[in-house]
Amino acid sequence: MSLSNLVSIAVLALLVCWAVGAYNRLVRLKNLIANAFGQIDVQLKRRYDLIPNLVEAAKKYLQHEQGTLEAVMAARNQARTASDAVRSRPANAAAVTTLAAAEQALDGSLGHLFAVAEAYPELKADQTIRDLSEELTSTENKVGFARQAYNDAVLDYNNAQGQFPAVLIARLFGFTPSAMLRATESAVERQAVRIQM
C-alpha cells in the first residue's frame, strides 16, 4: 500500500469518527431537552391537577361567574393537550410554541379568576382557596426554574446543531432547531405591573 492510500484511509477514518461523534453529541443534547421537559412536565401535571380543585372550591362562592370558571377549565384542558404533545416530541419547535401559547391563555384565565375572587371577601378568606392558591404559586415557581433548565438545554442543542461543521450532520440526519419555552411573548406582557390608587 502506498503512502497516499494510507493517508486517504486515515483521513476517511478521522472523518467517520468525527461524524459519529457529532451525531452522538446531537442525540445526547436532544435527549437532554427531553429530560429537561420531563422536569417541566412533572410540575405542569401538578398544576393541571390543582386547577380543578381550585375551581371546585370557588364554585360555591362564584355561582354567577360560571363563565369564568368554565374558561379556566377550558384553558387548562388546552394547555394539558399541548403539554401532552410536547411530551411526545420535546424538541419539536411547533409543539413547544403551541404549549407556550396555551400556557399564556391559562395564565390569563387564572389571572381573571383571581381578579374576580378579589371582589369576594368570603372567597379570599376560605382556607382551601388560600391553600390551593399557595400550592399553585409554589408550582409556578418550580415551573419557572424547570423552564430555565429546559431553555438552557435547547440553547446548547441549537448551538451544537447550528455550528459548522456539525450543521452538515444535523441536516443530513434531520436535526432541526428547537424552540425556547418563553413565559411571555408580547411587549405588553413584559411591561411592569402598575398599581393605581
Side-chain angles (χ1 to χ4, degrees):
M1 229 189 253
S2 70
L3 182 60
S4 65
N5 285 346
L6 287 175
V7 169
S8 296
I9 291 171
V11 168
L12 183 61
L14 284 173
L15 283 175
V16 168
C17 288
W18 169 83
V20 168
Y23 177 85
N24 288 340
R25 181 168 186 251
L26 290 171
V27 168
R28 182 178 57 79
L29 291 171
K30 198 169 185 178
N31 288 338
L32 286 174
I33 291 173
N35 179 56
F37 183 76
Q39 303 306 312
I40 293 173
D41 191 45
V42 167
Q43 299 307 322
L44 290 179
K45 181 181 181 336
R46 177 177 169 79
R47 181 183 189 212
Y48 301 150
D49 290 346
L50 286 171
I51 291 171
N53 294 333
L54 180 67
V55 168
E56 194 60 39
K59 271 185 183 177
K60 62 183 174 184
Y61 299 105
L62 302 176
Q63 295 296 327
H64 58 284
E65 295 285 349
Q66 202 62 20
T68 300
L69 299 174
E70 289 171 1
V72 168
M73 289 307 295
R76 176 244 186 209
N77 293 339
Q78 286 180 326
R80 187 174 210 157
T81 300
S83 178
D84 291 344
V86 174
R87 185 181 314 113
S88 65
R89 299 169 301 166
N92 182 286
V96 171
T97 302
T98 301
L99 174 60
E103 282 294 318
Q104 286 179 322
L106 178 57
D107 288 344
S109 65
L110 281 173
H112 183 69
L113 173 63
F114 287 124
V116 167
E118 288 294 318
Y120 297 90
E122 65 276 4
L123 177 63
K124 286 177 17 180
D126 186 281
Q127 186 62 41
T128 303
I129 296 289
R130 284 195 317 236
D131 291 346
L132 288 169
S133 295
E134 183 151 334
E135 284 291 320
L136 206 51
T137 300
S138 172
T139 301
E140 292 296 331
N141 291 335
K142 292 174 185 173
V143 167
F145 290 125
R147 182 185 294 121
Q148 180 179 354
Y150 174 84
N151 286 341
D152 289 344
V154 168
L155 179 64
D156 289 344
Y157 168 76
N158 285 346
N159 285 341
Q161 68 86 33
Q163 293 173 344
F164 186 80
V167 69
L168 302 173
I169 298 298
R171 287 189 180 157
L172 181 66
F173 290 102
F175 290 94
T176 57
S178 188
M180 299 276 185
L181 190 55
R182 298 189 187 334
T184 57
E185 296 292 325
S186 71
V188 173
E189 294 171 312
R190 294 181 188 277
Q191 291 178 355
V193 176
R194 293 182 184 222
I195 300 173
Q196 297 178 354
M197 294 189 196

